Amino acid sequence: MVVQESLATKLAIDGGTPVRDAANPLPGVFPRDIPPRSREELQRVVDEGFTSDSIQRFEAEFAAACGVKHAVALANCTSAIHAVVAGLGLGPGDEVIVSPITDFGSVGGIISQGATPVFPDVDIRTGNITAEHIEKAVTSRSKAIIAVHFYGLLCDLDPIVEVARKHSLTLIEDVCQATLAEYKGRPAGSIGDVGCFSFDAEKHLSTDHGGMAITDDRHLADRIRFIGQNRGVVQVQGFGRTHQELGFNFRYGQLEAAVGLGQLEQLPRQNQRRRELAATLSRLLHDVEGVDPPWIPPGSDHVYWLYHFQIDPDCFSADATQMAAAMTAEGLSCGTAPYYLIPKALSFLPDREAAVAALPNACEHLERTIRWQWTDKHTEDDVADIAGIIKKVCNAYRA
C-alpha cells in the first residue's frame, strides 16, 4: 500500500481521517418513512377491531400497480415462492432452474417440495441469469424457471420468456429487490407467469415483513391462495375443515397491509429518486480506472435495492473484501457477499462442489463485487462523498 502524505488522504483503516464519521454519517435505509395514509389505515384496522378489509384492498391495489389481474398476500417472498411451487404441483423428480446468485428464499420452497434446484451460470456483468445459460440447463425434467432480479436490476426477460415458452416451463419472477421496476415499460413480476415479492423491513415497499404473489392466471392464483393462505382446506357441511392437500399458514396481517397501502402510493417517487441518485454516482465513477458501475441491459430497469460495482483485480493491490473494509472505515458501510452464491451456501446440497464449479461467471462476479444498501434519502452531497470514498480507497490500493 502506498504511504499517505496527510490524514486527509491516508486511509481511515490505517489511522487517517474518514470521509464521513459517526458525527456525520451517511443516511441509511432505517428509520423507514411511514406516510400519512399508512397511519390512517392502521388506525382504521384498530378502530374496526381486526374486521378490516385492508388485505383485500392492498391485494387489489398492488395488482393494479403491477398491471395484473390477481394478487395474493402472503407472509414473505419465501412463502410466496413456496406456495407457487406447491401450487404448480412440483415435487420429486422435477427440476426448477433458478438463479445461483440469490437468497435462500428463492430455493427453499423448491427443496421443501422435494424438487431439485438447477443453477445455470450468469451474465458476469449483472450477476443475473440469461436465456443462453438457462437453455443449457433445460432437461426433460425441467418444469419451471425462477428469474431473480438481483440488486434491483431486472433480468433481460424477453429472451428468457422465449426459452420458457419453447420448453413449456412456468416462468416465476423473484421481484424481492425490484418492486415496481419496469422491463420495456412493463412492471416487474407481470412479464412471467407469476411474480413474487418481499415487503420485509429493508425492502423498497416495507411493511416490516410480508410478501405477494401476482399473476394473470386465475387458476394459479386460486391454487396459491388455497395452498398458501387456506392450508389446503375445503369445508364439508356437517363436519368442518378437511385438508385436501398439504397446505400452509402463510397468511399476511391486516396491520401490515394497512402500512402497505400507504407505502405503495409513495414507492414510484422513491424508486425514481433511487434511480437518479444512482445515475449520478455511476457518472462520478465512470472514469475511475478499474471500477465498473452497474451495467443495465437495454430495456431493463434498475431500482437499486443495492448499489454495486465491480473491480478489476489487475488494477489494485487489494481484493474486493479488503477494499470494502477500507470503504466501511471511511463511512460507507459496504461489503462483499459470497454467501449469495446460494449453491455454495447450501451445505446440505448434493453435488455441491460440482454445482459451484459449473458457475465460473457467478463466482467471479461475486469475487469482484462490492455492494451496499441504497436509499432515496441520499442527497447530492452524500453521493459526492460516496464517490469520494470509493476514489480515495481505489487510489490508495492502486497497483
Side-chain angles (χ1 to χ4, degrees), residues 79-241:
S79 58
I81 292 176
H82 192 164
V84 170
V85 171
L88 291 169
L90 304 187
D94 296 327
E95 293 178 350
V96 179
I97 298 167
V98 58
S99 301
I101 297 179
T102 190
D103 179 79
F104 178 77
S106 301
V107 300
I110 302 169
I111 297 167
S112 294
Q113 291 303 117
T116 301
V118 174
F119 303 101
D121 212 349
V122 301
D123 184 317
I124 198 168
R125 297 165 296 181
T126 66
N128 284 336
I129 57 172
T130 66
E132 177 186 2
H133 289 106
I134 292 169
E135 184 79 60
K136 295 175 184 177
V138 175
T139 73
S140 60
R141 297 179 296 279
S142 301
K143 294 295 187 294
I145 301 165
I146 300 179
V148 180
H149 302 308
F150 203 69
Y151 302 117
L153 173 59
L154 299 194
C155 301
D156 188 6
L157 283 167
D158 280 350
I160 295 176
V161 170
E162 290 182 15
V163 173
R165 300 296 175 260
K166 174 182 175 182
H167 297 284
S168 300
L169 306 178
T170 300
L171 176 56
I172 303 163
E173 294 180 67
D174 181 335
V175 201
C176 275
Q177 301 179 5
T179 303
L180 295 194
E182 294 186 352
Y183 178 79
K184 298 181 179 179
R186 293 170 290 170
S190 70
I191 294 99
D193 297 289
V194 59
C196 297
F197 297 78
S198 170
F199 305 141
D200 284 352
E202 74 280 7
K203 295 300 196 300
H204 291 77
L205 193 160
S206 167
T207 66
D208 194 24
H209 79 284
M212 193 80 76
I214 65 169
T215 182
D216 279 326
D217 185 331
R218 175 59 182 271
H219 173 71
L220 181 55
D222 288 344
R223 288 285 300 160
I224 295 167
R225 196 178 298 278
F226 180 67
I227 294 290
Q229 285 187 348
N230 299 335
R231 300 182 293 172
V233 163
V234 172
Q235 293 282 350
V236 175
Q237 189 173 4
F239 179 82
R241 293 192 297 265

Side-chain angles (χ1 to χ4, degrees), residues 352-376:
R352 174 186 174 207
E353 292 184 3
V356 172
L359 303 170
N361 287 355
C363 292
E364 184 175 347
H365 175 87
L366 289 173
E367 288 170 359
R368 293 175 50 190
T369 297
I370 296 172
R371 91 289 179 267
W372 64 94
Q373 284 197 318
W374 196 243
T375 176
D376 59 291

Side-chain angles (χ1 to χ4, degrees), residues 15-132:
T17 301
V19 175
R20 299 289 285 261
D21 59 19
N24 184 28
L26 289 165
V29 173
F30 298 103
R32 299 308 301 263
D33 178 26
I34 307 300
R37 186 183 174 190
S38 291
R39 299 173 188 275
E40 293 164 5
E41 295 286 353
L42 282 167
Q43 188 62 53
R44 178 175 172 178
V45 172
V46 173
D47 290 344
E48 294 179 358
F50 295 109
T51 63
S52 169
D53 62 349
S54 61
I55 297 172
Q56 292 82 0
R57 288 187 293 117
F58 184 41
E59 288 177 337
E61 292 191 22
F62 193 83
C66 293
V68 297
K69 297 176 182 176
H70 310 287
V72 183
L74 296 155
N76 45 57
C77 191
T78 302
S79 58
I81 292 176
H82 192 164
V84 170
V85 171
L88 291 169
L90 304 187
D94 296 327
E95 293 178 350
V96 179
I97 298 167
V98 58
S99 301
I101 297 179
T102 190
D103 179 79
F104 178 77
S106 301
V107 300
I110 302 169
I111 297 167
S112 294
Q113 291 303 117
T116 301
V118 174
F119 303 101
D121 212 349
V122 301
D123 184 317
I124 198 168
R125 297 165 296 181
T126 66
N128 284 336
I129 57 172
T130 66
E132 177 186 2

Side-chain angles (χ1 to χ4, degrees), residues 309-325:
F309 65 88
Q310 293 182 283
I311 64 165
D312 180 346
D314 293 334
C315 292
F316 302 104
S317 61
D319 62 21
T321 300
Q322 293 168 310
M323 293 177 73

